[in-house]
């Protein structure tokens, strides 16, 4: 099985995926994390330093470790979603999807006709998947996942309509932005009661219609509780945080 389709296959079989989260636009960093026990690596082009060229260089290195890559695109940059899939990404996380119209525009770049309007040119992806054009065209919509980020009040209000868009495979909840939105900018409390009840609501709505539910978790403990709750995809921590935590633990042991 190629690493490209491993993410969709895993989540469809009901086995949750734990993803590392990378913002340092250096393929070696994502490659190192891919060789750890993560099931996938997410490359962040919204708040992380990845541009398309860095992501396209990173995806084959993650695949060399047998792992699928997920990419989060910048807000509204839907054309880049298709280029990342061409380069071999398995899923695209699109931030700030607030309406069914946003979801349709996004999904149209992820799925080939008849579902969407993705244009042909998956040369990196076909090589990584070991597929010929006809096979890839027949299969790609099934394993190129469109995940719509739910992280605003408007997105919560329009959640069922977003979930009903056929090109959308699932949602990915952003607890940080959601907590800022729900408190009208007063606080950032991704673990707070208001954010947790919104998360539970979004999770339940995705489940009710048989679509994937993903979420970002800042810590391993939170990620564990999300996995136990039944989320299909949990992205945890971030590369710079792993570096800092490792450096601080090592130095404090050395200075003890
Ligand atoms: C959020 O929590 O807002 C996110 O975007 C997580 O990455
Ligand atoms: Mg966010």
């Amino acid at each position: 099985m190629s690493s490209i389709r491993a993410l969709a296959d895993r989540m469809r079989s009901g086995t949750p995926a734990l993803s590392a989260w990378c913002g340092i636009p250096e393929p070696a960093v994502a490659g190192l994390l891919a060789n750890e026990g993560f099931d996938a690596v997410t490359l962040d082009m919204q708040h992380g330093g990845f541009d398309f060229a860095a992501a396209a260089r990173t995806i084959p290195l993650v695949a060399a470790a047998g792992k699928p890559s997920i990419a989060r695109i910048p807000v509204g940059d839907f054309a880049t979603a298709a280029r990342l899939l061409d380069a071999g990404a398995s899923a695209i996380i699109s931030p700030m999807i607030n309406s069914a119209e946003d979801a349709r525009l996004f999904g149209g770049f992820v799925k080939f006709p008849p579902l969407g309007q993705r244009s042909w040119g998956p040369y990196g992806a076909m090589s990584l998947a070991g597929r010929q054009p006809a096979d890839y065209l027949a299969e790609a919509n099934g394993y190129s996942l469109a995940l719509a980020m739910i992280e605003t009040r408007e997105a919560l209000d329009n959640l069922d309509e977003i979930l009903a868009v056929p090109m959308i495979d699932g949602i990915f909840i952003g607890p940080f932005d959601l907590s800022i939105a729900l408190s009208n900018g007063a606080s950032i409390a991704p673990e707070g009661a208001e954010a947790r009840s919104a998360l539970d609501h979004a999770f339940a709505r995705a489940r009710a219609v048989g679509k994937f539910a993903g979420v970002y978790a800042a810590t391993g403990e939170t990620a564990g509780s999300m996995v136990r709750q039944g989320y299909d995809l949990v992205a945890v921590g971030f590369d710079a945080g792993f570096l800092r935590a490792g450096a601080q633990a090592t130095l404090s042991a050395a200075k003890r």
Side-chain angles (χ1 to χ4, degrees):
M1 179 180 65
S2 87
S3 59
I4 289 198
R5 62 173 307 148
L7 184 71
D9 287 349
R10 183 184 183 92
M11 286 163 47
R12 281 206 183 96
S13 75
T15 309
L18 264 181
S19 177
W21 190 271
C22 286
I24 300 173
E26 167 51 55
V29 173
L32 277 172
L33 291 171
N35 280 310
E36 297 303 322
F38 294 104
D39 306 306
V41 177
T42 302
L43 315 178
D44 186 12
M45 301 173 73
Q46 184 194 14
H47 293 297
F50 278 93
D51 58 12
F52 175 73
R57 280 195 299 271
T58 302
I59 291 166
L61 202 54
V62 172
K67 302 291 173 64
S69 291
I70 302 167
R72 177 165 75 171
I73 56 176
V75 176
D77 189 359
F78 303 136
T80 293
R83 296 185 73 196
L84 290 158
L85 294 170
D86 289 346
S90 299
I92 306 297
I93 295 173
S94 186
M96 299 279 171
I97 295 294
N98 292 328
S99 64
E101 184 53 22
D102 288 351
R104 270 191 291 275
L105 277 171
F106 164 46
F109 280 90
V110 172
K111 305 293 184 182
F112 288 114
L115 272 180
Q117 303 87 39
R118 179 177 165 194
S119 155
W120 183 257
Y123 299 108
M126 284 194 297
S127 157
L128 287 181
R131 309 306 273 162
Q132 295 301 318
D135 308 314
Y136 184 83
L137 178 63
E139 299 166 355
N141 281 356
Y143 54 73
S144 306
L145 303 179
L147 303 176
M149 278 200 85
I150 302 299
E151 48 184 352
T152 64
R153 282 176 186 273
E154 201 185 341
L156 283 178
D157 289 345
N158 295 324
L159 181 58
D160 288 340
E161 290 79 4
I162 292 169
L163 279 164
V165 172
M167 297 97 100
I168 296 297
D169 296 288
I171 56 170
F172 186 88
I173 309 170
F176 283 83
D177 275 314
L178 203 48
S179 73
I180 294 173
L182 292 174
S183 67
N184 282 325
S187 65
I188 181 152
E191 311 268 354
E194 209 177 12
R196 277 316 280 256
S197 97
L199 258 68
D200 288 348
H201 168 71
F203 171 81
R205 295 312 305 154
R207 270 285 158 281
V209 294
K211 297 222 168 168
F212 293 130
V215 68
Y216 177 80
T219 68
E221 290 74 16
T222 306
S225 85
M226 302 302 198
V227 166
R228 286 189 293 279
Q229 187 174 346
Y231 278 92
D232 304 290
L233 171 65
V234 180
V236 58
F238 60 106
D239 49 4
F242 296 146
L243 261 178
R244 289 190 70 195
Q248 286 165 9
T250 303
L251 276 174
S252 83
K255 291 178 180 174
R256 209 171 282 142

